[in-house]
Amino acid sequence: MVREREQNGWPGVPILVFLLLLGVGLFANVVRLIAVRAHPGLIALTVVLSFLTWVFLMAGLFIVNPNQARVLQLFGSYVGTAKVAGLRWVNPFYSKKLISLRVRSFESSHLKVNDKDGNPIELGAVVVWKVVDTAEATFEVDDYVAYVRVQSESALRNAATSYPYDSHDEPDVISLRGSTAVVAEHLKQEMQQRLQKAGVEVVETRISHLAYAPEIAAAMLQRQQAGAIIAARTRIVEGAVGMVEMALASLSAKGVVHLDEERKAAMVSNLLVVLCGEKAAQPVVNAGTIYQ
């Protein structure tokens, strides 16, 4: 396994000044040979050699932008990585591959997978990543950008099969819909484990798309609606029972009216109908006695 090591070369500005002065000197030497009427062959050879030498030395200059790096190789051997921003100079025989160290992000395609319960769902994620080891990114994988995308989608598929889509009101169950922070952290760790060999650090992952597959979406929507209705009805009944208990206790404590068990049952029934009914109750005035 190839590990990154820094090799920033020489500062480029002094080298550039030296090469410019060298170019002036080489040009002056050619002018001197012409002035003394040297042999034309010697003049031509001097011009060619001077120009090739100057161009060869200038080829060692390169620029490193902030949050970028250059991987240096000499005839296939890894020499080091230049990370210091600015104009630099190295051996002109070195090849200089540009690697970006900036934070990048991409959104995966909407993958169709089965959750832990076997329900088909559609899932997508946003992955934020950056290169932290240029040597591994260059030499350990063929194309680190494509590798990140493929391995991220593979990790996303695996994470989706580890959790159910919904917990269905079970608080101890971690679900894709109800525990997005936990799922995102699990996804980040799994992606980091897969991408570490490529010199990549996963900065953040987020679920960007989550839905049931179209073939079961309608049925699952009805299930969710039924669950919501049951939960709402349960809350209404619990509140109504509490209000009835409070009404009976208040009437008994204040001695407003004394009811036998049968009348209490009738009152409870009427109050529950009024409190739990979907429509407003119609008032009925009883002009007689309640013991008719």
Side-chain angles (χ1 to χ4, degrees):
M1 181 178 292
V2 182
R3 294 293 185 181
E4 179 184 277
R5 56 180 181 270
E6 282 203 40
Q7 172 60 268
N8 294 302
W10 296 82
V13 175
I15 300 297
L16 177 62
V17 173
F18 169 75
L19 291 178
L20 292 177
L21 294 177
L22 178 63
V24 173
L26 294 175
F27 179 75
N29 183 47
V30 172
V31 172
R32 183 186 63 82
L33 291 176
I34 295 175
V36 298
R37 297 184 179 182
H39 191 277
L42 177 61
I43 296 176
L45 180 62
T46 302
V47 170
V48 171
L49 292 178
S50 299
F51 178 76
L52 291 178
T53 301
W54 188 78
V55 171
F56 173 74
L57 294 175
M58 287 290 291
L61 292 171
F62 64 97
I63 294 176
V64 179
N65 294 318
N67 283 329
Q68 288 187 342
R70 297 274 185 170
V71 176
L72 307 177
Q73 290 181 262
L74 178 62
F75 305 130
S77 299
Y78 174 62
V79 176
T81 300
K83 289 186 173 181
V84 176
L87 184 64
R88 313 298 300 178
W89 186 87
V90 293
N91 187 335
F93 285 111
Y94 288 174
S95 64
K96 313 167 191 70
K97 182 178 180 180
L98 178 64
I99 299 289
S100 175
L101 304 179
R102 297 167 183 170
V103 176
R104 316 185 202 186
S105 66
F106 76 93
E107 183 175 6
S108 68
S109 57
H110 294 174
L111 306 177
K112 188 175 181 180
V113 298
N114 291 335
D115 67 356
K116 187 176 181 180
D117 295 334
N119 298 317
I121 62 174
E122 291 183 351
L123 190 67
V126 173
V127 181
V128 183
W129 61 281
K130 65 178 181 179
V131 174
V132 293
D133 192 307
T134 57
E136 290 183 343
T138 303
F139 302 113
E140 294 298 326
V141 294
D142 185 53
D143 184 348
Y144 68 92
V145 176
Y147 184 82
V148 168
R149 182 174 293 274
V150 172
Q151 292 298 326
S152 297
E153 292 187 353
S154 176
L156 181 60
R157 288 180 180 274
N158 189 55
T161 60
S162 303
Y163 302 100
Y165 179 89
D166 204 345
S167 60
H168 303 299
D169 297 328
E170 297 180 18
D172 297 333
V173 176
I174 299 176
S175 64
L176 296 172
R177 189 172 71 93
S179 307
T180 54
V182 176
V183 174
E185 183 62 26
H186 175 199
L187 181 60
K188 177 182 176 181
Q189 294 177 0
E190 184 161 347
M191 286 185 180
Q192 184 60 64
Q193 184 178 2
R194 293 168 180 258
L195 298 177
Q196 188 172 3
K197 66 178 63 176
V200 171
E201 176 187 352
V202 180
V203 179
E204 182 185 5
T205 58
R206 297 188 304 274
I207 301 297
S208 61
H209 175 77
L210 179 62
Y212 282 112
E215 57 266 27
I216 66 166
M220 289 301 176
L221 178 60
Q222 292 178 354
R223 179 176 180 176
Q224 292 177 354
Q225 290 174 342
I229 292 174
I230 292 173
R233 288 294 182 184
T234 301
R235 177 64 66 86
I236 291 173
V237 170
E238 289 176 353
V241 170
M243 294 175 67
V244 170
E245 290 177 348
M246 182 178 63
L248 291 175
S250 180
L251 290 174
S252 177
K254 294 180 179 180
V256 177
V257 64
H258 298 282
L259 302 174
D260 56 21
E261 295 301 323
E262 181 181 354
R263 299 306 171 186
K264 285 183 180 180
M267 180 179 177
V268 169
S269 176
N270 293 335
L271 285 176
L272 288 177
V273 170
V274 171
L275 295 174
C276 297
E278 293 185 358
K279 298 181 180 180
Q282 296 295 327
V284 177
V285 178
N286 188 354
T289 174
I290 63 173
Y291 292 100
Q292 291 181 0

